[in-house]
Amino acid sequence: MATDLMPLNATVVAENSLVSVFLNGAPFCLSGKREKVLFTYPVHPLLRDGANRLDFEYTPFDNAARSFTPHAGVQVELNISSANMTRVTVLSARYSDREKAMVPAEISLLSGEATVLSNDVITASNRFRSQTTSIQFASRAVDENTHRLTSEFQVNMPGLGDVPWSQTAVISADTGIRKDLYDAYQRLHSVLQAKDIAGFVELAGPALSRTARMLDYPDEKAMAERVFEVNPMGGAPGSRMIPLTSWAEFQQQPLRWGSTGQLVASFSDQIQYVDAATGAQSGGMRVFFARHKNEPLRIHYSLDSGQ
């Protein structure tokens, strides 16, 4: 691991809201829980040294009225912490009946104390801009009273470098991308089943390169070899890969997009393994693709199955 790199965890907290959260365009938290959300995930792979962007999408929910209606009980928050530093609140917002909008909250929903906006590594402002949007779930999109809160913050950690997808193209959500994405999944299934190290490096090089740097592997090839040794991407011993969804079925499934339009994946995890003897799920991974202009889709980011 780079000597100036430390693990960082983000904790998403929300009350009376459905939420979808992104860091630098990469999705990592999607929750349809309406009363209380509490979710922690390692996010240093999603951060860069320097300026970072948080997109926090929420749909308010009134449990008493059973409707997507904003009210004073709606609050959302994201904190970043590490074992070696004070927790920082990047964003904490509550709905104001007076303003008829989300406003910065001075008391943290997580701790019940005053929000801390900076430490030696992270500097935040808890200032944000709001725009209407929709949240895509597996079964449907929710857009009623849904907003995206966008906030910028600084991270001082040179070992992070930049995120792999930062210079990739914004992808047009047309019919062409769906076929390109399906073709990319077919290539991925082929290289995983064949344990094709060279093919995997070609397809997943951007993601492998950054992971190798963070875990102190010499290069993408060494990282790829390690991936094939361990669950979930390579499959546990005694497991078999579930066949890829048919093209006809794939066309009916929604796509999951990053908030900047650079990352895209199928909403249904296409890399899943089951125990060959029992049929029980033994592992899986959701991979997000991006591409540079006029280049094929390649894997730039992966997320635990089900997130």
Side-chain angles (χ1 to χ4, degrees):
M1 182 178 291
T3 56
D4 55 355
L5 178 65
M6 71 173 74
L8 297 173
N9 294 318
T11 299
V12 175
V13 195
E15 289 188 346
N16 302 302
S17 295
L18 288 68
V19 302
S20 182
V21 190
F22 309 77
L23 282 168
N24 293 316
F28 75 94
C29 175
L30 177 68
S31 176
K33 294 180 180 179
R34 295 167 176 173
E35 288 83 17
K36 183 82 172 184
V37 176
L38 180 61
F39 175 79
T40 299
Y41 196 77
V43 293
H44 46 285
L46 312 185
L47 299 174
R48 59 164 64 95
D49 180 49
N52 289 261
R53 167 177 166 170
L54 165 67
D55 290 311
F56 199 123
E57 299 177 347
Y58 76 95
T59 303
F61 187 75
D62 186 327
N63 192 49
R66 308 301 294 175
S67 66
F68 299 119
T69 305
H71 57 92
V74 173
Q75 187 167 344
V76 299
E77 184 172 296
L78 182 130
N79 300 275
I80 297 179
S81 62
S82 169
N84 303 315
M85 71 180 201
T86 304
R87 180 176 58 244
V88 167
T89 299
V90 174
L91 179 142
S92 187
R94 61 176 180 82
Y95 185 80
S96 167
D97 284 331
R98 178 181 175 182
E99 302 293 335
K100 302 300 180 187
M102 295 291 267
V103 299
E106 296 180 355
I107 301 300
S108 167
L109 185 58
L110 181 63
S111 68
E113 301 173 352
T115 54
V116 176
L117 301 182
S118 66
N119 57 26
D120 292 340
V121 175
I122 298 172
T123 302
S125 66
N126 200 24
R127 292 193 295 268
F128 51 83
R129 57 186 181 274
S130 178
Q131 66 183 89
T132 58
T133 187
S134 64
I135 297 179
Q136 178 69 58
F137 292 93
S139 59
R140 67 182 183 119
V142 178
D143 57 11
E144 188 174 354
N145 292 316
T146 302
H147 286 76
R148 174 185 292 174
L149 306 180
T150 299
S151 184
E152 283 78 33
F153 62 101
Q154 295 286 324
V155 175
N156 179 21
M157 195 181 293
L160 286 173
D162 202 354
V163 293
W165 59 89
S166 65
Q167 301 302 313
T168 59
V170 174
I171 301 172
S172 175
D174 57 19
T175 54
I177 184 58
R178 188 176 289 274
K179 185 61 168 68
D180 290 346
L181 185 60
Y182 189 75
D183 290 345
Y185 279 122
Q186 286 185 311
R187 294 197 303 275
L188 179 57
H189 267 248
S190 294
V191 299
L192 290 177
Q193 290 173 333
K195 304 292 186 183
D196 178 0
I197 297 294
F200 191 48
V201 170
E202 172 62 27
L203 184 59
L208 291 169
S209 178
R210 189 153 203 250
T211 306
R213 171 179 170 77
M214 290 190 162
L215 298 182
D216 204 24
Y217 281 76
D219 53 27
E220 297 97 323
K221 181 175 182 291
M223 193 70 247
E225 290 170 345
R226 179 58 179 162
V227 167
F228 281 128
E229 291 175 0
V230 298
N231 186 45
M233 182 73 85
S239 66
R240 60 177 176 81
M241 183 184 288
I242 296 176
L244 183 66
T245 300
S246 71
W247 170 235
E249 292 174 315
F250 190 81
Q251 293 180 81
Q252 304 305 313
Q253 297 173 351
L255 300 182
R256 189 169 180 187
W257 292 89
S259 59
T260 58
Q262 295 166 284
L263 294 164
V264 64
S266 166
F267 220 100
S268 174
D269 295 338
Q270 298 296 328
I271 307 301
Q272 294 191 58
Y273 291 88
V274 295
D275 185 282
T278 66
Q281 185 170 348
S282 60
M285 185 66 68
R286 175 170 292 159
V287 294
F288 286 81
F289 293 84
R291 65 181 171 202
H292 291 273
K293 187 176 181 180
N294 300 322
E295 292 187 4
L297 290 169
R298 302 176 74 194
I299 298 170
H300 284 67
Y301 167 53
S302 62
L303 184 65
D304 289 349
S305 181
Q307 299 298 336

